[in-house]
Amino acid sequence: MNNSITPNWDELLDYDQEHIWHPYAKLPSTTPAIGVVKTQGSIITLSDGREVVDGMSSWWAALHGYNHPKIQQAMHDQIDTMPHIMFGGFTHEPAIELAKRLVKLSPEGLEKVFFVDSGSVAMEVAIKMAMQYWISLSRPGKNRLLSVNNAYHGDTFATMAICDPINGMHSLFSEVLPKHFFAPAPEMGFDIESNNDDIRDLRAVLENHHNEIAAVTIEPIVQGAGGMRFYRPDYLKQLRELCDEFDVLLIADEIATGFGRTGKLFACEWAGISPDILTLGKTLTGGHITLAATLATSKISATISSGEPGILAHGPTYMANPLACRAAIANIDVLLTAPWQDNIKRIETHFNEMLIPLKAIDGVKDVRVLGAIGVVELEKDHLGADIQGEALESGVWLRPFGKLIYTMPAYNIPQNQLNDLTTGLIKSVINVIQKSSQL
Ligand SMILES: *Cc1c(COP(=O)(O)O)cnc(C)c1O
């Protein structure tokens, strides 16, 4: 915004509160949203002039902080030549260059790319591909999915049906959502020795229902919005083997984990596996503009294209938007030329030192760290708003949900801001727990 006229923020926020839906909110909302006027690196400037350290990367997205100069330059160049053109019948260099990078970097075998606008729709396309694959093979009965508890795959109707049936939005819409199969969530813990009960239970579902199941859907290694749970790579490895054994496709949702967050470029790499279909979103443009993608093997595209009707019937209006593709190309190039692995290690080490000791506090149920993700799970689930408020007071932006206070900062967050982030988080958690236990 040009500051020639200073906006009247009281009026703007009143209007916002009355008229504009925010994520997972009432309308009019009970708590007004916070005005934001500027972002730079890991700093967010609020409408009252305060600057706060960003602990959320705008929900995983802003890998290199906001307004990255190289990503912005690429977008400026693109907007001057061609911000958008329909993808039906046309193609352009940004889409092609981005597809090349995705095919090259993603797990082996994923060679075909479908561009969409958001993560949920990338999952919709993944589901459609899986279903159509089996229709094309004259096995239309394989039209259900197998998900796991605590999963989160998006907010659209097809994806709600594979979110956790209890803590997702499944129950409210259970009458209209398609019924899929669920296995227990993978046992919690990235580096545990497991007795594999979880995988045995999943195997049992496949044994009984593989003739009805098109695909297993899974968030590799990190279950995000459904619980911020980390699990062992061996689970994923065994899951891949089971999918092969029972002739079921594997859809890996790396919308949150893709592009380095866990310490590997893709979380699938921890298990050395390739899914049949992979979804990317959130992180694809480094938080600069919306774009997502569904990648698939040549076997999937060939099967769909040789069946009836021989096409994949999906084609968003803004498919492969050139501006977004340019941002994604720049985001990937910035990532690969940065010492991102060192940065993830640096953040992981810092979180381990600073956050893990919170385990000793009454009211804290668990603290876990993986890559550049730190999670403090509380015993109670109603303290999030107070913790968010306290954190903001100490100059830190967090967005807790339920019992989960979590942070995934930009990989290149300066060390002093990282210190401020963890200090603010710890202080607010301790203060709010103390206050609540005194009530
Ligand atoms: C955020 C998310 C989605 C949905 O992406 P949207 O862009 O919000 O539609 C799907 N899967 C996972 C794992 C996510 O984190």
Side-chain angles (χ1 to χ4, degrees):
M1 182 174 307
N2 291 321
N3 289 332
S4 46
I5 305 169
T6 312
N8 177 345
W9 272 101
D10 288 340
E11 192 222 317
L12 293 180
L13 294 179
D14 281 349
Y15 190 91
D16 180 277
Q17 189 167 6
E18 199 61 40
H19 295 280
I20 309 179
W21 293 105
H22 282 259
Y24 304 94
K26 277 184 199 288
L27 194 64
S29 65
T30 35
T31 40
I34 300 156
V36 181
V37 292
K38 204 173 104 182
T39 51
Q40 185 62 53
S42 286
I43 299 295
I44 302 169
T45 307
L46 310 182
S47 55
D48 62 9
R50 274 185 297 168
E51 294 189 337
V52 297
V53 177
D54 177 30
M56 300 306 292
S57 296
S58 282
W59 278 330
W60 309 88
L63 301 182
H64 322 292
Y66 302 103
N67 312 29
H68 192 282
K70 294 220 168 94
I71 303 175
Q72 281 193 322
Q73 189 57 54
M75 293 178 78
H76 279 299
D77 293 347
Q78 188 61 42
I79 212 165
D80 289 341
T81 39
M82 182 172 66
H84 185 65
I85 181 71
M86 66 187 288
F87 211 53
F90 282 136
T91 193
H92 44 76
E93 201 189 337
I96 298 163
E97 283 299 322
L98 177 56
K100 276 189 189 170
R101 282 166 177 74
L102 297 181
V103 167
K104 181 162 169 234
L105 295 171
S106 64
E108 208 183 321
L110 298 163
E111 295 179 338
K112 312 292 174 176
V113 183
F114 195 105
F115 289 114
V116 291
D117 311 332
S118 74
S120 298
V121 179
M123 282 303 293
E124 294 270 340
V125 170
I127 293 167
K128 195 184 266 190
M129 281 179 182
M131 305 256 175
Q132 198 171 333
Y133 173 84
W134 293 111
I135 294 170
S136 299
L137 291 174
S138 304
R139 297 182 69 184
K142 279 170 81 75
N143 61 6
R144 295 168 79 185
L145 301 167
L146 169 54
S147 182
V148 293
N149 292 341
N150 289 95
Y152 179 77
H153 293 291
D155 291 344
T156 55
F157 273 82
T159 59
M160 275 199 289
I162 48 170
C163 289
D164 186 287
I166 293 152
N167 76 17
M169 291 142 288
H170 206 165
S171 50
L172 183 59
F173 297 107
S174 59
E175 291 299 307
V176 286
L177 290 178
K179 301 276 183 286
H180 296 303
F181 296 103
F182 280 84
E187 189 181 352
M188 188 128 80
F190 177 75
D191 42 23
I192 52 163
E193 284 287 331
S194 174
N195 62 14
N196 288 325
D197 278 352
D198 48 11
I199 211 80
R200 256 190 298 277
D201 287 343
L202 187 140
R203 184 192 174 89
V205 181
L206 284 173
E207 266 170 359
N208 291 326
H209 300 287
H210 62 95
N211 282 326
E212 301 157 73
I213 297 176
V216 173
T217 52
I218 193 93
E219 294 154 273
I221 305 300
V222 177
Q223 292 191 295
M228 298 299 291
R229 303 169 80 260
F230 311 142
Y231 66 90
R232 64 197 188 283
D234 190 54
Y235 177 94
L236 203 55
K237 199 162 158 274
Q238 294 184 67
L239 175 60
R240 172 72 272 185
E241 287 162 11
L242 286 176
C243 286
D244 290 338
E245 183 182 340
F246 289 101
D247 209 9
V248 161
L249 299 174
L250 180 61
I251 299 175
D253 177 350
E254 294 233 24
I255 289 166
T257 52
F259 300 106
R261 180 60 64 182
T262 66
K264 300 279 189 195
L265 201 52
F266 297 96
C268 283
E269 292 174 20
W270 286 109
I273 62 135
S274 288
D276 302 287
I277 300 174
L278 176 85
T279 53
L280 300 170
K282 289 189 167 85
T283 61
L284 189 51
T285 67
H288 287 71
I289 190 169
T290 183
L291 184 69
T294 307
L295 276 57
T297 61
S298 300
K299 190 172 159 198
I300 299 221
S301 59
T303 304
I304 290 173
S305 303
S306 64
E308 275 300 322
I311 56 155
L312 183 70
H314 209 98
T317 306
Y318 281 92
M319 187 170 188
N321 171 253
L323 182 60
C325 288
R326 271 292 175 223
I329 293 167
N331 172 49
I332 292 170
D333 292 352
V334 166
L335 179 70
L336 297 182
T337 50
W340 65 271
Q341 279 140 315
D342 295 346
N343 266 331
I344 302 282
K345 261 274 161 274
R346 169 183 70 108
I347 295 168
E348 185 173 48
T349 305
H350 179 82
F351 282 171
N352 274 324
E353 277 169 18
M354 300 290 291
L355 299 183
I356 296 291
L358 283 174
K359 273 189 192 176
I361 292 182
D362 270 350
V364 173
K365 189 171 173 205
D366 186 37
V367 183
R368 41 193 187 264
V369 172
L370 180 69
I373 313 166
V375 183
V376 180
E377 182 170 348
L378 306 181
E379 301 278 2
K380 297 179 188 160
D381 67 2
H382 60 271
L383 302 178
D386 287 349
I387 289 172
Q388 182 175 34
E390 290 247 355
L392 201 64
E393 286 303 310
S394 52
V396 169
W397 173 243
L398 297 173
R399 165 93 180 179
F401 73 91
K403 298 174 177 158
L404 299 166
I405 318 301
Y406 65 107
T407 174
M408 55 293 207
Y411 302 169
N412 58 356
I413 183 173
Q415 193 62 33
N416 62 326
Q417 293 172 12
L418 184 60
N419 289 335
D420 291 347
L421 170 61
T422 43
T423 311
L425 186 155
I426 292 164
K427 205 175 86 186
S428 59
V429 167
I430 292 176
N431 282 349
V432 170
I433 286 180
Q434 251 165 18
K435 274 185 212 158
S436 81
S437 64
Q438 284 158 8
L439 293 178

